[in-house]
Amino acid sequence: MLDFIAPHGYPRCQWCGSVAVWQCGSVAVWQCGSNLSGRYKKTVIGYGFLTRLPINRTVRGHHVPNGVNVAQPLSSHTESRASIWKAWSVHIFTASGVLLGTMALLALVDDNPVACLLWLGAAMMIDGIDGTLARKYEVKAILPHFDGSTLDMVIDYLTWAFIPALFIYYFIELPPHLGLLSVFIILLSSMFCFCNVDMKSQDNYFVGFPAAWNIAAAYFYVLDLPPFITFANIVLLAVLTVTRMKFLHPFRVRQFMPLNIAVTLVWCVCATSLVLSSPVHASWALWGWGVTSAYFIGMCLWRTAQEWFD
């Protein structure tokens, strides 16, 4: 039986006096502490209905009847709200990459290659961190209706492929009549990369060149290679996109992760110094850039060779 004299109009159990912990319209649910029966608890549902339902232990350790959603305590509600805010904060952090991409595009229009590369570098750092944050705060489970992967892909294509392709077209010397072709090669090969469902190996290496044209643009800008060498490298990287060669993801590959991240940070410092000055005035940065680049190439070749000999 139900007692309707509970505070704020919530029904109360007549046997144990517990107030309903969940109410929706004409249905109320609570656990009756005075009615235990082995693996079952008697749970009152609705106004005047008494049923026996099997108990299911939730991830938080609460005993909840199967098929019944019981509201969590106030502290759990607070935790849930905090988790939602954290999840949305991660999505906002990821979305800020499009703002940095816009700044890079405006710098390109203003004929400022240094600022363009720096904005792209900032967007790259956000992209390197946001995935770790998303996994830490279980964003996908907390906000299942919002696809963070699609958000990330859209921004990545903008900041890793589209804007760098335009950067190479406007600021990197290419052979006559091959500038537009270079842009087409970059954009089309990048589309294949982003649409490839097998772009990651089981140990989180990229399979094929991961459309890192922002990094390639930085190399082309700093090294100032002869036009045909630059074009040959663009073609080579595009071809590597459809191969099984492995490329290191320093923030996802668990093997040597601390070392990989440390080398990545050194590479970023050296690259920033070279973009802001020149190899002549920052010879230390050029050496550091060369050593860290050799490390990444060695890791890629080593991991690829492992698969060849397995």
Side-chain angles (χ1 to χ4, degrees), residues 95-212:
S96 67
V98 78
L99 306 181
L100 299 178
T102 302
M103 296 303 297
L105 189 58
L106 292 175
L108 188 149
V109 173
D110 291 338
D111 197 25
N112 190 340
V114 171
C116 183
L117 286 176
L118 292 179
W119 286 118
L120 289 176
M124 180 180 68
M125 296 305 296
I126 287 179
D127 183 57
I129 299 172
D130 64 351
T132 302
L133 295 176
R135 288 181 292 275
K136 178 180 179 181
Y137 295 113
E138 301 178 335
V139 172
K140 190 173 183 179
I142 295 172
L143 299 175
H145 62 284
F146 191 91
D147 193 348
S149 298
T150 301
L151 174 66
D152 189 61
M153 285 289 187
V154 171
I155 297 173
D156 283 356
Y157 189 81
L158 177 69
T159 59
W160 286 74
F162 185 76
I163 296 176
L166 296 181
F167 178 93
I168 291 171
Y169 180 81
Y170 283 106
F171 298 123
I172 303 301
E173 188 177 1
L174 293 165
H177 312 297
L178 293 179
L180 193 58
L181 177 61
S182 299
V183 172
F184 290 164
I185 291 173
I186 292 172
L187 296 180
L188 291 175
S189 64
S190 298
M191 284 185 177
F192 174 84
C193 173
F194 284 103
C195 295
N196 183 12
V197 295
D198 297 321
M199 68 180 298
K200 292 275 187 66
S201 65
Q202 290 186 348
D203 53 354
N204 290 319
Y205 276 84
F206 289 110
V207 179
F209 178 64

Side-chain angles (χ1 to χ4, degrees), residues 252-304:
R252 291 296 307 276
V253 175
R254 301 198 64 82
Q255 190 175 27
F256 310 125
M257 181 180 283
L259 178 59
N260 295 335
I261 294 175
V263 172
T264 300
L265 295 177
V266 173
W267 184 94
C268 291
V269 170
C270 294
T272 303
S273 300
L274 291 170
V275 169
L276 290 173
S277 57
S278 67
V280 175
H281 297 93
S283 57
W284 64 270
L286 186 62
W287 277 100
W289 211 36
V291 171
T292 52
S293 299
Y295 174 83
F296 289 130
I297 294 173
M299 287 291 292
C300 297
L301 294 175
W302 170 72
R303 177 60 182 83
T304 304

